[in-house]
Structures are given as structure tokens and as C-alpha cells.
Amino acid sequence: MLTAQIIDDVVSRALAEDAPWGDITSELLIPEAAEVEATLDAREEGVFSGTAVFEAAMRLVDPRIRTVFHVADGERFASGAVLATVSGPARGVLRGERVALNLVQRMSGIATLTARYVALVAGTRARIVDTRKTTPGLRALERQAVRDGGGHNHRFSLSDAVMAKDNHLAVLAAQHGGDVTAALRAVRAQLSHTTHLEVEVDRAEQIEPVLAAGIDTIMLDNFDLDALRAGVEQVAGRALVEASGGVNLDTVEAIAATGVDVISVGALTHSVRSLDLGLDVGFVPDATPAVPATAPADPPAGPAADTRP
């Protein structure tokens, strides 16, 4: 999903937004020949995500910049850890710094939060998945961060699966005399065998008519714990059961214990806090030509000059 082309497209747009006519501060203050070495430092613990994105931000500014990572995507790190070393032309490093940090901080924040949810449902059958509540233009990056945190992805876009929600069902039922089962069967008949069909319900009485249409996944939206347990028992393996709504770090463990197969969590991407990471310049090579310690010896004397008139 997160291809090199997508990364370069996203990062190029971000760089153009940040410095549309160049970085006038660095161009005025920093000598063109200046080189630096900087470290990407963790100011809090977390789970890393965004190696390819960070590298692209530096490379697209100046291909001479070299980034060496000391942590892999999906790897936990402690506060104070050095996550990467960046070296190369100072102007390029400074120009790419903010974009590189913005993206990797957000991705690592998502991965870190996802890992917390995943840990809370360990030992159950439930998998933690994201939603389409992503930042416009950054979906592929944010979805990768969820995977780096140990979570899974829901459908990537409206083009990838059929997901009938309450408003869809209202329109469908009106077109079929209120018969939701008939409406969904008509939808099913038009689908390829490879296309997934999911239906959202918000009341227990909707479960049986929806299941009768032969769907793949049923989403129980905003069901309380007792209703979730009853719903799982009623479905009895005839479809995957997804729980949605009211999911947070305080409730996810109990939701997973009801026996649902999937728990979708919009908060993974729509309200996550970026992780506190920083890029700190630690070494600036001296580009000034070295001055000899002692004056060079006088050159050997040549023939004496002829001073005769």
C-alpha cells in the first residue's frame, strides 16, 4: 500500500508547501559548503514508524544527504534513544527537518497508540483495525503506521469493498418495500466473488434480516457489552463480527472479551498525538582550509641576479 511513488508524492507536496521559493533563512545564514551531522532523538518512549518517509524528505531535498537508522519500523524505543543519524549538506538537512519530523512524529504516534490497543486485546480473537477517519492526503502513511503498531487495516477506500451503513440501508429498504434482506441479496448478486460485503446494524432486530442475505461481515455499531455478547452468539459464525463505537483504551479489553472478531478504532488516526522526536545537530565539520602550523621553508636560492649595468 505504501509504495515509493506514494511516499515521494506526499513528501514532495509537503516540501513544496514548506519552502515554495526556497529556505531563505538557511540560504542567507548557512554557507553553501557547510556540512552537518545530526541525530533523530526520542524525547519519549514509543514505537517507531516512518523510516522510508523520513529518508525521502531528506533525499528529495538533497540526494547527498545520508540517513542511517538505528531502529526499524515497528520497533519499540526508550526515551533518549538515538533513532537515526543524518549527515550531509547543512542547508538541505535544515530545509528537510520540519517536514521529516512532522511526518515521522505523526506516524510514530499512531504506531505507539495502536500498540497499546493491541496489547490490551492480546489473548482474544479480536484484531484492532483502523477506519477511513484519516488525514486527507496522508491515508497511506497513517495506515502503514497502524500496521507498524501491530494493528490491521480496514478497507482502504470506498472502491475496495461494499460497506452498507445506516443511510445506505434506509435508501435500499425504500427501494425494496422495506425488505432489507431482498435489497442486500440484490447487491450480493451483482458482486464479484472477491468483493467483500459488510453491513452495519445498530439494533439487535436488524441482525437476522442482514445475515439472511449472506453477507461477509456484520458491524454491531454502538452495542453495549451485553448486546455485543448476545450478537456474537446470535451470529454464531455465519459472518465476521465487527464492533464499532465507544471504543477507547478503557473499554477495548472488555469489548474484545465479548468474542467479536474485529474492533475498529477511529481514534488511531483521527485524534492521535504526535510523538515527541527531535533532530539535533551534534557535529559541524570545519570547512575552513587548514592553516599550516609553521611557515614553509624558503625555496632554494637560484643563480645570483646580474647587477652589472
Side-chain angles (χ1 to χ4, degrees):
M1 186 186 300
L2 187 57
T3 64
Q5 180 178 345
I6 289 175
I7 292 172
D8 284 2
D9 285 348
V10 170
V11 173
S12 294
R13 289 197 301 272
L15 290 169
E17 177 184 64
D18 200 41
W21 303 285
D23 174 7
I24 60 175
T25 304
S26 294
E27 290 164 13
L28 287 172
L29 298 181
I30 307 300
E32 185 175 1
E35 301 268 328
V36 295
E37 182 175 286
T39 54
L40 177 62
D41 299 321
R43 295 170 181 169
E44 60 180 313
E45 65 180 6
V47 176
F48 195 74
S49 178
T51 56
V53 175
F54 187 95
E55 185 276 334
M58 293 298 172
R59 169 176 50 81
L60 291 173
V61 168
D62 192 325
R64 294 172 295 175
I65 297 175
R66 183 168 180 259
T67 304
V68 177
F69 289 96
H70 311 303
V71 64
D73 288 330
E75 186 175 339
R76 292 183 178 275
F77 56 83
S79 178
V82 176
L83 307 175
T85 303
V86 181
S87 57
R91 287 185 179 181
V93 172
L94 293 171
R95 178 173 174 176
E97 174 185 6
R98 187 71 267 155
V99 166
L101 281 175
N102 283 350
L103 294 174
V104 79
Q105 284 178 306
R106 180 162 183 83
M107 292 181 70
S108 295
I110 291 170
T112 301
L113 180 60
T114 302
R116 294 180 66 189
Y117 275 93
V118 171
L120 288 170
V121 304
T124 71
R125 64 190 300 169
R127 61 168 51 183
I128 298 296
V129 305
D130 51 24
T131 71
R132 285 172 41 247
K133 297 174 183 177
T134 53
T135 307
L138 297 183
R139 179 169 296 175
L141 276 62
E142 294 180 347
R143 287 282 176 83
Q144 178 61 51
V146 168
R147 294 196 298 276
D148 289 338
H152 298 267
N153 298 144
H154 214 294
R155 59 175 177 163
F156 184 78
S157 71
L158 293 173
S159 303
D160 298 313
V162 176
M163 184 171 174
K165 305 191 81 172
D166 53 355
N167 288 333
H168 297 102
L169 293 181
V171 176
L172 270 176
Q175 299 299 310
H176 289 79
D179 190 340
V180 172
T181 302
L184 290 173
R185 283 177 176 168
V187 171
R188 173 98 274 177
Q190 299 177 62
L191 293 179
S192 155
H193 68 283
T194 62
T195 304
H196 197 89
L197 173 57
E198 178 169 357
V199 179
E200 173 192 271
V201 301
D202 53 21
R203 302 185 308 278
E205 58 266 27
Q206 294 175 304
I207 294 176
E208 207 56 48
V210 164
L211 290 176
I215 65 167
D216 301 301
T217 299
I218 186 166
M219 177 193 289
L220 308 183
D221 187 44
N222 285 307
F223 279 48
D224 63 28
L225 294 177
D226 289 337
L228 281 175
R229 278 188 287 268
V232 169
E233 184 176 349
Q234 183 178 353
V235 173
R238 288 178 287 170
L240 293 174
V241 179
E242 176 179 340
S244 179
V247 183
N248 55 54
L249 290 169
D250 295 326
T251 63
V252 69
E253 190 171 5
I255 292 172
T258 65
V260 297
D261 302 291
V262 177
I263 303 175
S264 51
V265 188
L268 296 180
T269 54
H270 74 56
S271 58
V272 68
R273 180 182 65 82
S274 294
L275 222 58
D276 190 4
L277 310 177
L279 189 69
D280 300 308
V281 173
F283 176 63
V284 182
D286 187 357
T288 305
V291 178
T294 57
D298 292 334
D306 187 353
T307 60
R308 291 175 296 175

